[in-house]
Amino acid sequence: MVTLSSPSPSLSCVENVTCKSSHVSRVLISGTDKNNHGESSEPKILRDVHISERLLEDFTELARENTEKDLETCGTLAAFLERGIFYVTTLIIPKQESTSNSCQAMNEVEVFSIQNERELYPVGWIHTHPSQGCFMSSVDLHTHYSYQVMVPEAFAIVVAPTDSSKSYGIFKLTDPGGMEVLKGCSETGFHPHKEPEDGNPVYEHCSNVYKNSNLRFEIFDLR
């Protein structure tokens, strides 16, 4: 077991941390299919999440070398909670093993150490589809279930540089429909999932995630 005594040097986005309404906007995804993964159907009220769009841009740049080799890249998104709002302030890119359609994080104790030291919540994760479209695969859904079962507001960002209709998407499992499907699924690898009994899709675009241009963040690249 590896313990992280001193994390790798972080890349820090130098921005004003003051949150003003004029710098906050809802994340809108172009090309949204409302019938499949569009309007949120969640029956419960979720807390809002703020994230810097620059964080997505920086992650895409850090993943570029892998993307050019048709290899996925993944990272964990961590946030602090203040007055009922999650602010994503930390991106952690762990040691990982990748293929063109998978990414396995290694030595996750390092990720936990950074989160624990800063008292952050694991509110989501981000990964690339270097040569595929912007969607959640069955493996992605199982990965995300482990986040959303802990934090209902957890979301997954898929970055798809070669998808001309939608370069990224921010998704969550529908609740209760999609959560129940994944809870009852014991299959591994790529496989189809049954439709939720409530008639909703298994996953959908998030409606509670907002871009905040004033949000400062750190990136820990542990690779």
Side-chain angles (χ1 to χ4, degrees):
M1 179 174 292
V2 178
T3 55
L4 187 66
S5 55
S6 55
S8 300
S10 64
L11 303 176
S12 207
C13 173
V14 182
E15 297 184 35
N16 189 333
V17 298
T18 304
C19 296
K20 300 179 181 179
S21 59
S22 61
H23 297 281
V24 178
S25 61
R26 185 187 295 270
V27 175
L28 298 177
I29 307 298
S30 60
T32 295
D33 183 345
K34 293 183 179 180
N35 293 324
N36 292 326
H37 311 296
E39 298 296 325
S40 174
S41 62
E42 64 241 7
K44 61 182 66 173
I45 301 300
L46 296 177
R47 289 167 290 194
D48 289 341
V49 180
H50 288 205
I51 188 171
S52 170
E53 189 168 26
R54 183 172 170 182
L55 186 152
L56 276 67
E57 296 169 354
D58 286 357
F59 171 78
T60 301
E61 182 60 32
L62 289 169
R64 183 182 299 278
E65 183 177 348
N66 274 358
T67 299
E68 292 175 348
K69 297 177 182 178
D70 196 22
L71 297 173
E72 288 195 2
T73 305
C74 63
T76 296
L77 300 168
F80 70 88
L81 180 63
E82 182 175 298
R83 297 181 181 178
I85 297 176
F86 284 109
Y87 295 95
V88 178
T89 56
T90 306
L91 163 63
I92 308 168
I93 304 176
K95 295 179 178 66
Q96 51 199 262
E97 294 182 351
S98 303
T99 69
S100 62
N101 58 16
S102 68
C103 187
Q104 178 65 51
M106 313 296 289
N107 296 334
E108 290 183 286
V109 67
E110 295 182 338
V111 176
F112 300 146
S113 294
I114 294 174
Q115 292 176 155
N116 291 338
E117 288 170 4
R118 289 160 177 75
E119 299 182 346
L120 300 174
Y121 292 84
V123 294
W125 61 298
I126 183 170
H127 76 292
T128 57
H129 281 184
S131 57
Q132 300 185 66
C134 187
F135 68 98
M136 292 280 280
S137 71
S138 57
V139 174
D140 295 340
L141 295 176
H142 279 274
T143 298
H144 186 65
Y145 175 79
S146 65
Y147 282 89
Q148 197 169 323
V149 76
M150 291 189 298
V151 181
E153 290 80 6
F155 59 95
I157 301 179
V158 178
V159 178
T162 61
D163 190 329
S164 59
S165 64
K166 186 166 52 184
S167 61
Y168 73 90
I170 303 180
F171 306 108
K172 64 180 286 293
L173 293 170
T174 56
D175 191 1
M179 290 292 287
E180 288 297 323
V181 170
L182 270 296
K183 180 180 179 180
C185 180
S186 58
E187 294 189 55
T188 59
F190 295 101
H191 57 277
H193 285 110
K194 65 180 182 179
E195 291 296 318
E197 294 181 358
D198 60 12
N200 287 312
V202 174
Y203 71 97
E204 63 190 353
H205 287 287
C206 291
S207 62
N208 64 314
V209 178
Y210 295 81
K211 293 182 294 185
N212 186 332
S213 62
N214 276 351
L215 192 58
R216 183 178 182 275
F217 62 87
E218 295 177 303
I219 298 177
F220 293 90
D221 191 341
L222 306 179
R223 293 175 295 175

